[in-house]
Amino acid sequence: MLLYTLLPLVWLLISATKTQEDLLGTFGLWFSGDFALFANIADTFTYQDGIFGRWLLNTVLYVVVGAGGATLLAALAGYGLAKFDFLGRRVVFAVVLGGIAVPPTALAVPTFLMFAKMGLTDTPWAIIIPSLVSPFGLYLMWTYAVEAVPNEILESARVDGAGEFRSFFKLGLPLLAPGLVTVLLFNIVATWNNFFLPLIMLKDADLYPLTLGLYQWSEQATTVGGDVVFNLVITGSLLTIVPLTVAFLLLQRYWQSGLAAGSVKQ
C-alpha cells in the first residue's frame, strides 16, 4: 500500500525536475543531468501570459465558496435533522440517501441543460452552485451530530433563553468541529479535483480550474502545430497537490480529535 500510494508521487516529483527532452529520454524514476525544477516552475507561471496563476485563483475561489459553503450547509442541515423532530424527516432521510447513491456524472448533463436555460453556463456560478450540494457531507454531519451534541446542553441553553441559531453557533458548532473538518476535507478534495463538471460547463479558458487547464495543456500535443509542454503539465500537477497536502497537515489534529467520538458510553 505504501508503494502503491507513494510511487506515483515519487515519479511526479522526479519528473518535475526534468526538461522536456529529459522527460521523454531518461528513466522515469531517477533524476537526469539537468535539475530543471525551478526553471519549470517559472515557465509554468509565465507560459501563455501567466494563465496558470489565473487557474490557481479560480480553483481557490471555487474551493472557498463552493466547498466552504457546502460544509456550512451540511452542518446546519445535519444538526437540524439530528436535533429536531418534524414532519417529513423520514422523507428527507430517503432523499439524502438517494442523493448519495446517484453518481455525479449521471447528473452532469441534466445540470448543464438546466444551467443553460438559466444562462449560467460559462460563468463561475456553474461550478460554485453544484459544489454547494453535498449529500454525503450532510449525511455525515447528521450521524455525527446525534452523538457529538448532547441534548441536555441544548435544553440548558434554551432554558437560559438562547435561540436556536445562537445555540448552534455557540454550542453545537464547536462540538461538531471534528466532523466539520472531515466534511470540509472531503469537499475541498472533491472541488479541487473537479474535472467533468467544468469540462462541460466552461468554454472561457480564463474561468478554468487547474484540472481543466492542465488537461488543455496536455491536449496541445495532439493538435497540429500545438506546443508540447509535458514538463509544464507535470510541474503544474505537482504544484496542484501542494495546497491539498498543506490543508490535510493543518487540519489533521482537528480530524483525529473526533475519531473516537461516541465510542464511550456516558
Side-chain angles (χ1 to χ4, degrees):
M1 287 300 297
L2 186 64
L3 288 174
Y4 176 81
T5 304
L6 294 182
L7 193 61
L9 296 178
V10 171
W11 177 87
L12 183 65
L13 179 60
I14 293 175
S15 297
T17 67
K18 299 181 180 181
T19 62
Q20 177 69 29
E21 294 74 17
D22 290 339
L23 182 64
L24 302 177
T26 61
F27 180 57
L29 290 176
W30 196 247
F31 299 93
S32 63
D34 296 327
F35 187 81
L37 176 61
F38 299 110
N40 285 339
I41 292 175
D43 291 342
T44 299
F45 278 99
T46 57
Y47 183 66
Q48 291 184 344
D49 298 324
I51 198 170
F52 181 84
R54 178 64 181 266
W55 294 339
L56 178 60
L57 293 177
N58 291 341
T59 305
V60 171
L61 172 66
Y62 299 149
V63 167
V64 171
V65 180
T71 303
L72 179 60
L73 290 176
L76 286 165
Y79 172 86
L81 289 166
K83 297 303 172 183
F84 296 96
D85 191 11
F86 55 89
L87 185 64
R89 192 163 172 262
R90 291 180 178 271
V91 176
V92 174
F93 180 75
V95 171
V96 171
L97 290 182
I100 296 173
V102 178
T105 51
L107 300 175
V109 174
T111 303
F112 171 78
L113 295 175
M114 181 176 65
F115 276 52
K117 289 287 186 180
M118 300 169 63
L120 294 177
T121 55
D122 207 28
T123 68
W125 295 111
I127 309 301
I128 292 173
I129 293 176
S131 300
L132 293 173
V133 181
S134 176
F136 176 74
L138 169 57
Y139 178 74
L140 193 62
M141 291 305 301
W142 184 353
T143 56
Y144 186 79
V146 171
E147 296 293 337
V149 183
N151 293 329
E152 293 78 8
I153 293 180
L154 300 179
E155 291 172 1
S156 299
R158 293 182 185 118
V159 170
D160 291 338
E164 297 299 340
F165 277 98
R166 184 178 181 184
S167 298
F168 170 75
F169 284 105
K170 293 292 186 180
L171 299 175
L173 204 58
L175 295 173
L176 293 174
L180 203 66
V181 170
T182 303
V183 174
L184 179 62
L185 287 174
F186 277 116
N187 288 333
I188 287 175
V189 172
T191 307
W192 192 274
N193 294 332
N194 196 1
F195 173 76
F196 189 65
L197 185 64
L199 179 65
I200 66 174
M201 288 289 188
L202 302 177
K203 292 186 297 182
D204 186 356
D206 288 337
L207 298 176
Y208 284 177
L210 287 169
T211 50
L212 191 55
L214 292 175
Y215 172 76
Q216 183 191 55
W217 281 2
S218 177
E219 287 298 294
Q220 289 179 177
T222 64
T223 60
V224 178
D227 290 337
V228 181
V229 289
F230 289 133
N231 61 322
L232 302 188
V233 173
I234 289 176
T235 305
S237 300
L238 178 64
L239 295 173
T240 299
I241 67 174
V242 170
L244 290 180
T245 304
V246 172
F248 269 89
L249 292 176
L250 291 178
L251 298 175
Q252 185 181 26
R253 64 190 183 95
Y254 298 102
W255 193 12
Q256 290 178 339
S257 66
L259 290 179
S263 62
V264 179
K265 186 174 180 62
Q266 299 294 332

